[in-house]
Amino acid sequence: MSTSLATYISLPGQTAEAFEHWHEVFGGTLDLLRYGDVPMEGMPFEPDPQAVAHVTLSLPGGELAGGDSMDGKDYPIRDTAYSLLYTVESPEAARELIGKLISGGGSENMPFEKAPWGDWYGQAFDRFGVMWAFSVESGESGEAAG
């Protein structure tokens, strides 16, 4: 196995729903494991068998991983410094993904347009409060789109 780095997100009881939604929006390969799917002997706590023990969403360019938070705390997501940056090949691809997040219950945070540094950039919140930033490097395909 090669070295890799994945973003890990824990949501209180919504991890399965969030990852299934992201799979619908972005595609890729979804692998979801619930606590009820694994032997629970020797666990230091008693999780809900329906809670997500581990999930991965493999996308072109990276991987998201996660699990349901077990400590009962509701960690803030929206209005924090955390976001996911997804660089795609064309402004059209970015607009399509942003549209899917918004139509799935999200909202636009920053319009997707040509940024002062020359690339395309915009942001949307999904319905779980996760901010997705989208970037497209300038170039022929980026220059031609508008």
Side-chain angles (χ1 to χ4, degrees):
M1 180 175 163
S2 63
T3 302
S4 68
L5 177 67
T7 299
Y8 191 92
I9 300 175
S10 292
L11 298 167
Q14 295 179 302
T15 301
E17 181 185 355
F19 274 79
E20 288 164 356
H21 175 64
W22 299 335
H23 183 237
E24 289 175 16
V25 171
F26 297 102
T29 304
L30 182 67
D31 186 20
L32 190 139
L33 181 69
R34 297 182 187 275
Y35 282 102
D37 299 331
V38 298
M40 300 231 257
E41 292 177 23
M43 286 261 188
F45 57 95
E46 288 190 41
D48 178 341
Q50 290 302 308
V52 175
H54 186 70
V55 61
T56 56
L57 178 59
S58 300
L59 301 169
E63 185 173 84
L64 293 175
D68 281 324
S69 58
M70 292 286 118
D71 59 9
K73 293 181 183 175
D74 189 8
Y75 295 102
I77 296 173
R78 191 177 181 112
D79 299 326
T80 67
Y82 298 102
S83 64
L84 300 173
L85 174 63
Y86 200 37
T87 301
V88 295
E89 294 183 5
S90 71
E92 295 80 17
R95 286 188 188 101
E96 181 180 340
L97 294 171
I98 291 167
K100 287 179 179 180
L101 289 173
I102 292 170
S103 69
S107 61
E108 181 180 68
N109 189 52
M110 179 184 287
F112 183 77
E113 58 193 15
K114 203 72 178 268
W117 57 88
D119 293 342
W120 292 87
Y121 182 81
Q123 302 169 349
F125 280 102
D126 66 21
R127 69 178 183 239
F128 305 98
V130 175
M131 187 175 79
W132 292 84
F134 293 89
S135 178
V136 177
E137 293 180 5
S138 287
E140 279 188 43
S141 66
E143 295 294 338

